Amino acid sequence: MLFVEFRFLAFFGLVLAISWALRRNGARKAFLLLASYAFYAAWDWRFLGLILLSTAVDGVAGRRIHEAGEDKARRRAWLGLSLVVNLGVLFTYKYFDFFAGSLNALLTWLGVGSSLPVLELVLPVGISFYTFQTLSYSIDIYRRQLTPAEHPLDLALFVAFFPQLVAGPIVLAKEFLPQLTQQARWSSVNARAALVLFFVGFVKKSCFSDALSPYVDAVQLAPDAVSTAGAWISAAAFAAQIYCDFSGYTDMAIACAALLGYTLPTNFRAPYLTRSVGSFWTHWHITLGRWFREYLYFPLGGNRRGPARSALNIFIVFLVSGLWHGAAWTFVLWGSIHGTFVALERTRLGRPLARLPMIPALLYVNLVWMVSMVIFRAPDLDGAAALLRSMFTGAPALADDLVPIPTWIGPSLAGAFAIHVLWQRLELSRRWAALPAPLFGLTLGAAVALALPWVTANPAPYIYFAF
Amino acid sequence: MRSLLPVLTFGVGLVAVNQAMVALAPLPSAAGLRSKVEFAVEHADDYDVLFVGSSATMYGLRPEIFSEELERLGHPGVRAFNLGVGGMGSFEAAHVLRRVLEENPARLAWVLYEEPLFDPLLWYPDVHNPRYVHWHDGRSTLDAIDALPLVDAPPGYKEAEYAGDWLGRFDWRLAVAKEHLDLWLWRASALGRGPEMTDELLGQGAAVLPSQSDLEGHDGWVNIGQDAQPGVREAHERFLERRGEWAQRLADIKATEAASGDLDGGYDLPSLEALLADIRGAGAEPLLYVAPRGLASPQMAALAARGTAGEVLRFHLPDRYPELNPIDLRWDFSHLNAEGAEVWSRLFAREFARILEAKGAAARKR
């Protein structure tokens, strides 16, 4: 059930109406939990068991960690259980085949000929997101930054809350659980701002991302059949597509949660307008960066152990971040590239980059991003190499692209650029929501009517659902 | 009331801009639909006779020959336009015709309408194709849904799809009705038409064929031998390989027509009556015909016998119109070639002159 589908709009309308009709906080939370499970079951009900397992394990572990008081060994043991179960499930479903396959290839290359089994399991949607959320719960209790949820229902709703269940933003327990202790009030909901955010997210996904996707997909299927210009256009199109896709989803998730009376953290702040790769990562998928900073970078020592160790820690974080996105060598390479750039920017070599004027700095960041995203999007390293060859060497020298460039790719890219740059820079959401109510209604109605013709017939699944 | 005001203004903004977007959405250009309809609307006052039908009409009736023959028979100055479009079914044709009639064509005296079968099924696998979307205004959608109880079975390849639909589990017709409503929603919201509209605004839309000069030169007739539409040449080659089957086709038509009975409640009479009323409301006379497209038409036989729509000219009957039987007049099993079109146009003119004279005689008697 995609946020841009009519059935989601019907589902959400129903959930919104019933949830605000329920007067008691407990009943409201129970209803939202059931709705969240129903939402997830619409994807694949079989994987609900994994969410329940994760919730139960962290519920027990969190409470036991808290109850262990000063008994460090017990606290560690219960935290260890949470880590082993959550990461074990994640590893089994997402990474086992990748590591087994890679090991098999290595052993075959060495002539050992050993063969590890391959499980070929279906990847449960959203597993990387909710696993990180539940881990934050146990770890924060262990660090004494959080007390266990007052009621198991609260924890279950934190894990499964449907607006952010399948693709974030990655919410931390310490910022969400306190919101559940009090009854949400409609009077404190900024409905107009939420509606604008939902609409903008809808436009990003349905009108821009889905419009750009067929061309990007076609180029990926035949990377040798595009000219240099076509390859660059497809790289730019994918950069625009993934921003519109993911930030569009996030906008809609934040808007849905806001309409239900809850606040989710910001996930994007005009990343393509940043002037260094390091800065880019504080503006793109902000909640993932925050999670890695708090739960991996700092535990590794952060920047407290000297520049060399700091650079290594950064590299490790980005390597793991690459793997978080997917179990493939393309993601490992992609993460390594970003880790290298961010680490380099912090050394002497990075100083000239920091002094670049605005336009060259923007070009630098966007060039690194576009080129690395070719690797990110490619099905394998060979596919990435083929497209990069077309981009940089001009080979093959095609007079005409065998994958024709659609005429509306220009308007779609322009629209994506406008919504990224102008929208955020001019704070148009805030201004729009602040209009007098009748004018707000009129303009929103007109904007919806303007957007509908650009909605595609068959919405593609969100790119980040695959992670 | 204050809290309802933004909801109200939302509706106003939505509807107002939506109307503009729907108006901007171009008609589908496939099979010449767009250029023909736009030409017919623009030149609505120039014609006395309008042929409305499928590709059999588009390729098979040459208005200039028709007019020339009428003149020879003592009816000078009759100008006809061929509004036949490939793949145009009755609901689509009725919608297109209404679009032309809205212009109150000053000279239009006759609408010659090909075989109105009013089949409400959606046969194409891609239901949301523009050819289906464009005719699903409120009236046509309801007409098509109303006609569903008259159909016995869905297209074979869609049976499983309808059976799997939650509405289709009650009755497969409900699943088809849902498709029609979906198409109405698509049309009403101009959903998915943005890329075409953008192309149009940028002047980079697909070439709209036939060109206005071609249409003007032949009054809407398209020479099948020069048509570059997909599938036209392939159909001709298939026909050449299997031309031996033509005689059997003619025999089959005779057998089926001989066995045809009553309409048996399986025909959409209300839609037909509404169509006839619309034509008469525009000051024209309707005349139904069956094209010589190598197929029997038992429903039109029953309709002719019933007399609801007056005389029905059934050019597909091999015994009644043997001039159209020679295989050399055909491009493929369904269509006449340019020579065949000339023969049929003259034949049609002769029948039409007969009807005009009969009407004139009846009027004189009164």
Side-chain angles (χ1 to χ4, degrees):
Chain A
M1 188 154 44
L2 302 175
F3 283 0
V4 291
E5 285 180 289
F6 180 76
R7 59 184 178 145
F8 175 77
L9 299 181
F11 166 82
F12 183 65
L14 197 66
V15 170
L16 194 64
I18 295 174
S19 71
W20 284 112
L22 294 169
R23 297 294 169 97
R24 286 181 48 229
N25 194 26
R28 192 166 189 273
K29 287 188 288 189
F31 170 72
L32 286 174
L33 179 63
L34 284 176
S36 298
Y37 286 156
F39 174 81
Y40 195 78
W43 294 102
D44 196 330
W45 62 269
R46 294 169 303 172
F47 296 131
L48 264 179
L50 293 178
I51 293 183
L52 292 170
L53 173 73
S54 184
T55 308
V57 166
D58 282 282
V60 173
R63 190 150 292 283
R64 294 301 163 109
I65 292 167
H66 184 68
E67 287 168 358
E70 298 305 316
D71 185 345
K72 239 180 176 177
R74 272 184 66 204
R75 289 166 61 79
R76 276 192 179 163
W78 283 108
L79 178 64
L81 176 77
S82 166
L83 292 173
V84 166
V85 172
N86 283 304
L87 294 177
V89 170
L90 183 63
F91 180 84
T92 307
Y93 278 91
K94 189 164 178 175
Y95 300 107
F96 183 86
D97 283 0
F98 169 65
F99 284 110
S102 299
L103 196 59
N104 279 337
L106 179 68
L107 292 174
T108 307
W109 184 70
L110 291 172
V112 179
S114 165
S115 178
L116 286 169
V118 176
L119 302 176
E120 292 186 347
L121 296 172
V122 175
L123 183 68
V125 67
I127 190 168
S128 305
F129 290 92
Y130 71 72
T131 300
F132 272 34
Q133 290 201 178
T134 50
L135 283 176
S136 83
Y137 175 75
S138 306
I139 297 171
D140 284 348
I141 294 175
Y142 178 81
R143 290 175 173 178
R144 301 187 201 283
Q145 292 174 352
L146 180 73
T147 52
E150 285 179 8
H151 194 282
L153 187 66
D154 289 8
L155 176 62
L157 185 55
F158 157 66
V159 177
F161 187 48
F162 72 87
Q164 47 81 49
L165 173 59
V166 288
I170 299 171
V171 185
L172 301 183
K174 58 193 171 197
E175 69 192 347
F176 193 75
L177 285 175
Q179 298 185 49
L180 297 177
T181 55
Q182 294 170 357
Q183 171 81 38
R185 294 184 192 288
W186 178 251
S187 57
S188 58
V189 172
N190 187 345
R192 276 195 237 161
L195 286 172
V196 167
L197 196 59
F198 189 89
F199 173 70
V200 171
F202 181 88
V203 167
K204 282 179 183 172
K205 165 65 180 159
S206 278
C207 302
F208 297 129
S209 171
D210 284 350
L212 293 165
S213 141
Y215 178 64
V216 174
D217 293 348
V219 169
Q220 286 294 335
L221 284 174
D224 290 324
V226 284
S227 64
T228 300
W232 278 101
I233 289 171
S234 90
F238 184 61
Q241 182 201 348
I242 196 165
Y243 169 76
C244 289
D245 197 274
F246 192 23
S247 79
Y249 168 85
T250 307
D251 289 345
M252 295 174 90
I254 294 172
C256 287
L259 286 168
L260 290 167
Y262 303 105
T263 305
L264 299 183
T266 302
N267 222 12
F268 292 88
R269 280 203 315 267
Y272 295 163
L273 296 182
T274 51
R275 295 166 66 165
S276 70
V277 179
S279 170
F280 178 93
W281 280 103
T282 60
H283 291 69
W284 173 278
H285 204 175
I286 296 166
T287 56
L288 179 69
R290 177 182 68 170
W291 197 98
F292 276 122
R293 197 168 55 250
E294 283 204 28
Y295 302 107
L296 184 60
Y297 180 67
F298 291 156
L300 285 172
N303 58 3
R304 294 192 307 270
R305 297 186 190 172
R309 183 58 195 264
S310 171
L312 179 65
N313 290 344
I314 287 169
F315 187 81
I316 291 171
V317 164
F318 276 95
L319 195 68
V320 177
S321 166
L323 269 176
W324 178 90
H325 283 85
W329 288 110
T330 47
F331 293 109
V332 173
L333 180 58
W334 174 79
S336 305
I337 290 170
H338 282 272
T340 305
F341 271 96
V342 176
L344 276 177
E345 282 175 357
R346 294 198 180 187
T347 66
R348 269 188 211 168
L349 288 170
R351 282 182 196 156
L353 289 171
R355 287 195 290 270
L356 281 176
M358 189 178 78
I359 300 294
L362 288 177
L363 283 175
Y364 153 66
V365 172
N366 283 282
L367 193 67
V368 171
W369 179 251
M370 271 203 311
V371 173
S372 69
M373 289 311 275
V374 169
I375 299 163
F376 181 98
R377 175 63 183 79
D380 49 39
L381 292 174
D382 289 341
L387 199 53
L388 288 173
R389 232 183 355 259
S390 297
M391 285 169 77
F392 287 102
T393 66
L398 292 170
D400 293 308
D401 287 82
L402 297 178
V403 181
I405 301 168
T407 49
W408 38 265
I409 201 118
S412 296
L413 282 173
F417 174 80
I419 213 157
H420 178 271
V421 178
L422 301 179
W423 197 266
Q424 298 224 4
R425 274 292 147 105
L426 302 179
E427 294 188 18
L428 291 181
S429 287
R430 188 183 57 74
R431 289 168 193 238
W432 193 0
L435 286 175
L439 192 55
F440 173 77
L442 187 76
T443 48
L444 186 63
V448 169
L450 271 174
L452 282 176
W454 278 267
V455 173
T456 49
N458 301 306
Y462 285 97
I463 294 169
Y464 267 68
F465 280 9
F467 308 145
Chain B
M1 184 58 203
R2 267 188 74 184
S3 61
L4 279 180
L5 194 58
V7 178
L8 197 70
T9 55
F10 175 85
V12 170
L14 183 75
V15 171
V17 176
N18 171 256
Q19 290 302 306
M21 300 310 277
V22 171
L24 272 177
L27 278 170
S29 55
L33 176 79
R34 180 177 168 187
S35 53
K36 281 199 143 185
V37 174
E38 285 178 352
F39 186 92
V41 166
E42 202 173 313
H43 297 84
D45 290 339
D46 299 350
Y47 295 97
D48 309 277
V49 173
L50 208 54
F51 293 106
V52 181
S54 67
S55 56
T57 292
M58 174 169 77
Y59 297 129
L61 285 169
R62 301 174 64 170
E64 73 271 32
I65 303 282
F66 179 80
S67 301
E68 183 189 302
E69 185 68 12
L70 275 177
E71 188 167 356
R72 199 181 64 78
L73 295 168
H75 300 276
V78 177
R79 196 164 173 214
F81 182 73
N82 182 331
L83 191 52
V85 177
M88 190 154 78
S90 307
F91 287 109
E92 185 182 15
H95 173 82
V96 161
L97 175 61
R98 285 190 195 110
R99 176 73 195 84
V100 178
L101 295 182
E102 275 171 17
E103 302 297 315
N104 295 317
R107 279 173 61 176
L108 187 67
W110 287 88
V111 173
L112 313 184
Y113 197 97
E114 182 190 336
E115 203 177 0
L117 292 176
F118 295 108
D119 178 3
L121 297 179
L122 299 163
W123 292 82
Y124 295 159
D126 167 24
V127 169
H128 294 119
N129 76 78
R131 280 295 293 275
Y132 277 159
V133 173
H134 91 92
W135 63 263
H136 274 83
D137 60 1
R139 176 177 173 180
S140 302
T141 303
L142 287 179
D143 285 350
I145 291 173
D146 276 348
L148 281 170
L150 303 170
V151 188
D152 292 329
Y157 81 96
K158 279 185 152 184
E159 268 176 23
E161 180 191 331
Y162 291 150
D165 186 282
W166 65 276
L167 268 175
R169 283 180 201 147
F170 300 102
D171 185 340
W172 64 268
R173 292 173 191 84
L174 291 174
V176 186
K178 196 174 81 174
E179 285 183 335
H180 280 296
L181 287 172
D182 194 27
L183 285 164
W184 168 78
L185 192 67
W186 273 57
R187 183 184 189 274
S189 60
L191 209 65
R193 306 296 304 280
E196 287 166 74
M197 287 153 72
T198 314
D199 285 348
E200 198 67 17
L201 289 171
L202 296 174
Q204 293 181 337
V208 178
L209 297 170
S211 68
Q212 297 287 299
S213 59
D214 278 351
L215 287 171
E216 197 149 18
H218 296 292
D219 291 320
W221 172 68
V222 175
N223 184 344
I224 195 167
Q226 293 168 7
D227 193 359
Q229 294 275 350
V232 172
R233 178 88 22 210
E234 290 81 352
H236 181 57
E237 281 158 12
R238 269 199 309 277
F239 176 71
L240 293 179
E241 284 166 14
R242 297 162 52 193
R243 45 191 288 145
E245 294 171 22
W246 178 240
Q248 186 56 47
R249 283 238 183 180
L250 296 179
D252 289 345
I253 292 172
K254 286 182 202 172
T256 309
E257 293 282 337
S260 59
D262 198 13
L263 282 173
D264 287 335
Y267 182 76
D268 184 7
L269 275 172
S271 285
L272 177 68
E273 281 159 4
L275 174 72
L276 299 178
D278 284 343
I279 295 170
R280 290 189 179 116
E285 270 299 307
L287 173 61
L288 306 187
Y289 65 91
V290 183
R293 56 192 189 103
L295 290 172
S297 181
Q299 282 195 318
M300 289 300 108
L303 192 68
R306 191 185 167 107
T308 309
E311 184 173 354
V312 179
L313 300 175
R314 294 185 291 151
F315 293 104
H316 67 301
L317 298 178
D319 290 338
R320 191 174 299 174
Y321 300 104
E323 303 94 319
L324 296 171
N325 293 345
I327 198 163
D328 293 340
L329 297 181
R330 307 206 70 85
W331 175 263
D332 57 35
F333 286 114
S334 306
H335 304 109
L336 294 164
N337 57 24
E339 292 73 34
E342 181 172 347
V343 173
W344 185 27
S345 302
R346 290 194 190 285
L347 202 54
F348 205 136
R350 269 174 251 158
E351 291 286 44
F352 187 61
R354 175 179 60 76
I355 290 168
L356 286 180
E357 282 150 20
K359 272 201 162 278
R364 278 194 298 278
K365 264 188 194 171
R366 278 202 298 274

